Amino acid sequence: MLSSAVMTGILATYVAAETNSLSVERLIIKDPDLPKNFHNLRVVFISDLHHGTFSSSKRLRKMVQKINALEPDLILFGGDYVQTQRKNKNLKHQQASLDELTSILQNLTKPTLGMYSVSGNHDHWFGLAKVVAHLQKAGIKTIDNDGVALKKGDESIYLSGVGDLWCNQPDLKKALSHRDSQKFTLLLSHQPNFIDTLTKNDHINFVLAGHTHGGQCQLFGYQPLMPKRFAKWEYISGLIETPQTRMLVSPGIGTVLPYFRFFAPPKIHLLVFKRAPRLSKF
């Protein structure tokens, strides 16, 4: 039998490998409401970078390279960009992490439809104005409780975003205020639980959310770090269908305490939206 020391070493090696891994998951999303000009729309979605002491700038550069290789039409970010705490004990170090993050994100390709983000709870705890300004330097526009029409030729879709459920007041009505019709609509929300406030009458075709880290550490399907106030267990990760609409919950890239992952690997998502009947759930 293997000794406890060997087993511990194997486990530690696995945990380190998973925590530092970075894979791309490709998903096809079918929707008959998608305008013809947007058929095969390529959207990259990334969330929860938590860049700081326990994340690697080398890995972040690798993330940028992977995203650029996907040749996206649109890049979306789901919040929580810098590793921080409610009580910011080391603001100087966290500011350096934000500066480094911005410098690396400036190397992202400039997709034809742009780059957009919403804010997460950690961005509020750090200082929202600073985070938003740094993202803007990298060409990423924050759309908390706001929205924008994305055009291809004579057709458009609508991208909306809501503020963080803990640290802001999500205002869907305001986020949709620039939508001139019930056109195909994407919604960015840091926290997936916001989907429970939607109705079919809101005409949201697809929601993209993060926050959960996929549970970050899972034990046989149980998420000991993910009480329901963070997210419903059924909203932990992956493609989800609700009576209101469909949603992707990203497991994100980074970590919070205890700063490792276990059976919840980090992912970049590439979503290819197709104008097609929904022959299956997605």
Side-chain angles (χ1 to χ4, degrees):
M1 294 179 63
L2 294 176
S3 68
S4 59
V6 172
M7 288 295 293
T8 300
I10 292 172
L11 180 61
T13 299
Y14 172 80
V15 167
E18 178 180 315
T19 303
N20 292 292
S21 67
L22 190 58
S23 63
V24 175
E25 183 174 12
R26 293 168 171 84
L27 302 170
I28 294 176
I29 309 299
K30 299 177 180 179
D31 197 311
D33 294 336
L34 188 72
K36 292 180 181 179
N37 289 353
F38 288 83
H39 181 65
N40 286 326
L41 172 71
R42 297 171 67 84
V43 179
V44 164
F45 180 53
I46 321 100
S47 190
D48 298 87
L49 301 179
H50 290 284
H51 186 55
T53 304
F54 295 94
S55 61
S56 162
S57 58
K58 180 180 178 181
R59 182 165 168 270
L60 197 61
R61 292 187 182 95
K62 182 179 179 181
M63 180 199 78
V64 168
Q65 291 174 353
K66 283 179 174 285
I67 292 172
N68 289 347
L70 295 173
E71 299 181 340
D73 302 304
L74 176 66
I75 301 177
L76 302 177
F77 293 85
D80 280 2
Y81 303 102
V82 182
Q83 181 195 109
T84 186
Q85 302 172 358
R86 287 176 186 265
K87 296 180 180 179
N88 293 319
K89 298 178 180 179
N90 194 341
L91 288 173
K92 185 176 180 180
H93 177 74
Q94 292 172 15
Q95 181 63 52
S97 296
L98 181 58
D99 292 340
E100 183 177 57
L101 173 66
T102 304
S103 176
I104 295 172
L105 292 181
Q106 285 175 336
N107 294 304
L108 281 167
T109 185
K110 301 302 183 282
T112 55
L113 296 177
M115 298 188 288
Y116 296 89
S117 69
V118 290
S119 306
N121 48 294
H122 283 264
D123 306 313
H124 285 268
W125 296 340
F126 175 82
L128 184 59
K130 288 183 179 181
V131 174
V132 169
H134 276 67
L135 291 176
Q136 186 65 48
K137 289 180 182 178
I140 302 166
K141 181 179 180 181
T142 302
I143 53 169
D144 294 352
N145 295 331
D146 201 358
V148 60
L150 305 176
K151 297 182 179 180
K152 273 194 171 186
D154 59 352
E155 294 182 315
S156 65
I157 62 174
Y158 193 77
L159 172 64
S160 55
V162 290
D164 182 65
L165 197 60
W166 287 0
C167 301
N168 199 340
Q169 293 186 353
D171 190 334
L172 183 65
K173 183 177 180 180
K174 189 176 179 182
L176 299 177
S177 62
H178 303 300
R179 187 174 67 175
D180 57 13
S181 63
Q182 293 174 355
K183 63 180 63 177
F184 183 92
T185 301
L186 299 174
L187 175 66
L188 271 177
S189 171
H190 177 62
Q191 303 204 28
N193 282 355
F194 182 74
I195 199 172
D196 290 338
T197 71
L198 302 180
T199 70
K200 287 187 176 180
N201 291 333
D202 293 318
H203 300 285
I204 304 297
N205 294 82
F206 202 85
V207 176
L208 300 105
H211 182 59
T212 66
H213 302 190
Q216 191 167 308
C217 298
Q218 296 205 39
L219 298 173
F220 308 107
Y222 176 64
Q223 296 85 25
L225 301 181
M226 195 58 58
K228 286 190 176 181
R229 73 183 187 90
F230 282 84
K232 289 183 175 180
W233 288 351
E234 58 266 37
Y235 296 166
I236 289 299
S237 184
L239 288 168
I240 297 157
E241 183 137 19
T242 72
Q244 308 93 304
T245 188
R246 297 176 290 171
M247 174 169 65
L248 169 67
V249 181
S250 168
I253 302 297
T255 59
V256 293
L257 194 70
Y259 304 117
F260 65 83
R261 287 174 178 260
F262 189 69
F263 290 108
K267 292 180 182 179
I268 299 167
H269 280 96
L270 172 66
L271 298 92
V272 180
F273 287 86
K274 293 182 177 288
R275 179 183 170 91
R278 291 173 57 185
L279 300 178
S280 60
K281 288 183 68 176
F282 291 96

